[in-house]
Amino acid sequence: MADSSFDIVSKVERQEVDNALNQAAKEISQRYDFKGVGASISWSGDKILMEANSEDRVKAVLDVFESKLIKRGISLKALEAGEPQLSGKEYKIFASIQEGISQENAKKVAKIIRDEGPKGVKAQVQGDELRVSSKSRDDLQTVIALLKGKDFDFALQFVNYR
């Protein structure tokens, strides 16, 4: 019988991020506490730009955006937001969406699977994802449960389960 396998990836659906950004922009334009503070959120290339006239307000814009991401099922581990920076009279925060698993993080995950996972489970790095295979589907389920129980500093999704 052929091996069963699944892939571990770290991907974010761009359309969902865009929808969350549009919802946040709409809420910011309508909320009374953002009136007259120049608060805004928008795409700036492939980064997200948040602006307001005070450090607290720009952090509140980031908070609104994070809540919209959560409602859309996007892990906040994929969002990498910088510190508020003063630019003229405006405070700005640049944020980016992280995708893909770096080589060192893939090696960490593979080591956890080797050390703590069931015997006979193989993990191999393929570019920015990880392929996990085994003869037993139950072992693969065990690996998924093991990894979901761990706290990584990057988002994980399990795809192509076959």
Side-chain angles (χ1 to χ4, degrees), residues 91-111:
Y91 280 87
K92 296 181 178 187
I93 294 179
F94 285 98
S96 60
I97 303 294
Q98 301 300 103
E99 290 196 298
I101 302 174
S102 69
Q103 288 291 332
E104 61 200 43
N105 287 337
K107 287 178 183 173
K108 282 183 200 170
V109 173
K111 181 171 174 26

Side-chain angles (χ1 to χ4, degrees), residues 27-127:
E27 181 172 324
I28 289 164
S29 71
Q30 292 175 345
R31 270 180 41 178
Y32 71 94
D33 57 335
F34 286 121
K35 294 278 189 242
V37 296
S40 68
I41 182 169
S42 62
W43 285 105
S44 173
D46 32 334
K47 290 193 179 289
I48 298 161
L49 171 65
M50 292 161 263
E51 297 178 296
N53 67 359
S54 74
E55 190 173 343
D56 291 340
R57 284 287 144 235
V58 79
K59 285 181 177 177
V61 170
L62 175 62
D63 194 46
V64 168
F65 181 54
E66 287 176 343
S67 73
K68 298 302 177 189
L69 286 174
I70 291 170
K71 283 184 181 172
R72 294 214 149 264
I74 297 170
S75 172
L76 291 183
K77 292 177 182 178
L79 180 71
E80 196 160 292
E83 289 299 311
Q85 301 167 337
L86 184 60
S87 172
K89 292 184 176 180
E90 295 275 306
Y91 280 87
K92 296 181 178 187
I93 294 179
F94 285 98
S96 60
I97 303 294
Q98 301 300 103
E99 290 196 298
I101 302 174
S102 69
Q103 288 291 332
E104 61 200 43
N105 287 337
K107 287 178 183 173
K108 282 183 200 170
V109 173
K111 181 171 174 26
I112 289 172
I113 292 170
R114 267 195 318 274
D115 295 347
E116 301 177 31
K119 299 287 179 244
V121 175
K122 296 184 286 287
Q124 60 200 63
V125 179
Q126 295 181 332

